[in-house]
DNA sequence: TGGATTACGAAAACTGTTTTCATTATTGAA
DNA sequence: TTCAATAATGAAAACAGTTTTCGTAATCCA
């Protein structure tokens, strides 16, 4: 298993690449380059994790308070269409977005106590899914696997939970 | 792999068992037995597949047109709480419900062309997930795995698609 | 630089679901 | 059997997240 580390700082090189890739996409589609879209994508790519529209908007407004959420929604759709970003839904009723990690595809473990989302990738798991699809005469385009449960490290889990509560209080 | 067959007729024995189990749950919780709830659950348990609220309400109204969707929603929540029914979300934005099949837990393959949902269960897959969780110091409560793709049997897939379109037209 | 085209932002609309609230039904005790 | 107390119902309003509308503003190519 590969467990994907989310705590490393954001790689500026990579961000620049993604910004360029998005610019190319905009070009290709005959769309226009705008101040707002640039602000939104450069904010987004510098954030970590699985980001909700709300969370993104808060950050975006720090750079330009006049940007509204319609534009954020619209830009996120473009990011998804460009293939640079994936939409996730972990069952709390809101869409979350993530730029691709180092590993192209990955699945998730979600702690129901502290909210920690761990990412993992396992080739045996992927292969097994393929073979099950094969048996059923089915061709897989994409899949989603989410493991819901709790951290076994209760101390760390509780600490994250506290931290989260404090943040919610302050906000 | 076990592929679960959804085309067999509903087992009346099993339905009666489920109705009894729900009655027991209602009792245990100190809730009241009502005409509406009985209608809703007996309708639900006689339907097959992954049923949306809308689909259920249509059938329920045939037995009692005065039943509103608030009661259907409320009863479905009770069914889920009772453990007799599971809620599913396959990404089309609406909740779907299913009574347990022969196999307690199962995962899904969803055809993006014809909408066919195949159910499967594979112990190796389950075990692999457990071992991945173990490696990550995580305890799984539940999981969801969905494979999205297309049927390889194009003829059968197309036929289902046509049938679906015809049904939508007629409704 | 003009002018067709695209994007923006605020607000309204939409969708699936939940809640409210006045009314009705169920239930266990008298 | 009544009789409350309690819970459930149904219509409509509220809700949350997201999408659409529409008048105005920005972009960008000839
Ligand atoms: Mn992820
Ligand atoms: Mn199923
Ligand atoms: Zn945790
Ligand atoms: Zn198909």
């Amino acid at each position: 298993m590969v467990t994907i580390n989310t705590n490393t700082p954001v790689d500026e090189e990579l961000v620049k690449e993604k910004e360029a890739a998005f610019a190319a996409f905009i070009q290709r589609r005959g769309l226009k380059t705008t101040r707002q879209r640039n602000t939104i994508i450069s904010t987004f790519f510098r954030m970590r994790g699985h980001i909700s529209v709300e969370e993104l908007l808060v950050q975006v407004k720090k750079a330009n308070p006049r940007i509204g959420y319609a534009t954020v929604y619209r830009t996120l759709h473009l990011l998804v269409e460009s293939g640079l970003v994936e939409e996730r839904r972990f069952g709390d009723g809101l869409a979350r977005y993530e730029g691709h990690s180092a590993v192209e595809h990955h699945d998730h473990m979600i702690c129901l106590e502290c909210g920690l989302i761990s990412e993992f990738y396992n080739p045996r798991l992927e292969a097994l899914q393929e073979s099950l699809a094969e048996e059923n005469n089915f061709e897989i385009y994409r899949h989603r696997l989410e493991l819901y449960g709790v951290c076994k490290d209760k101390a760390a889990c509780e600490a994250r939970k506290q931290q989260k509560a404090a943040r919610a209080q302050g906000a």
Side-chain angles (χ1 to χ4, degrees), chain A:
Chain A
M1 184 178 78
V2 180
T3 299
I4 293 161
N5 186 350
T6 302
N7 295 319
T8 48
V10 176
D11 179 349
E12 269 301 317
E13 289 291 304
L14 214 70
V15 169
K16 296 250 160 71
E17 268 179 47
K18 286 172 182 179
E19 288 175 343
F22 186 69
F25 168 80
I26 289 293
Q27 204 84 327
R28 206 178 320 129
R29 280 270 210 121
L31 303 177
K32 290 174 180 171
T33 305
T34 70
R35 228 171 254 309
Q36 292 91 330
R37 292 217 268 241
N38 286 341
T39 301
I40 293 165
I41 69 154
S42 76
T43 304
F44 177 81
F45 284 132
R46 272 163 250 268
M47 291 174 76
R48 285 217 146 276
H50 303 85
I51 300 158
S52 69
V53 175
E54 184 75 35
E55 285 165 358
L56 177 54
L57 183 61
V58 166
Q59 292 311 116
V60 163
K61 275 191 180 295
K62 288 182 183 172
N64 178 354
R66 306 216 40 221
I67 293 176
Y69 61 109
T71 303
V72 172
Y73 272 108
R74 288 189 276 233
T75 305
L76 283 168
H77 290 328
L78 288 175
L79 282 167
V80 170
E81 285 178 59
S82 78
L84 290 165
V85 164
E86 278 190 59
E87 183 179 312
R88 306 281 185 189
R89 286 171 183 277
F90 296 131
D92 59 353
L94 45 130
R96 297 182 170 277
Y97 297 85
E98 66 174 335
H100 289 312
S101 312
V103 179
E104 192 76 0
H105 163 76
H106 60 262
D107 297 304
H108 299 89
M109 291 183 206
I110 299 117
C111 175
L112 297 169
E113 281 299 320
C114 70
L116 179 69
I117 299 174
S118 307
E119 303 182 326
F120 65 94
Y121 173 79
N122 180 274
R124 287 215 299 139
L125 192 69
E126 305 285 322
L128 189 46
Q129 290 177 39
E130 278 303 334
S131 80
L132 293 174
E134 189 65 39
E135 264 185 71
N136 199 40
N137 211 22
F138 188 80
E139 183 187 351
I140 301 174
Y141 286 178
R142 58 191 165 79
H143 72 259
R144 73 191 264 172
L145 171 60
E146 290 145 21
L147 311 181
Y148 295 91
V150 293
C151 305
K152 281 186 183 167
D153 183 341
K154 293 304 172 194
C157 182
E158 186 60 31
R160 274 189 294 271
K161 202 171 159 183
Q162 296 298 331
Q163 200 179 341
K164 200 179 169 187
R167 210 169 334 115
Q169 189 70 12

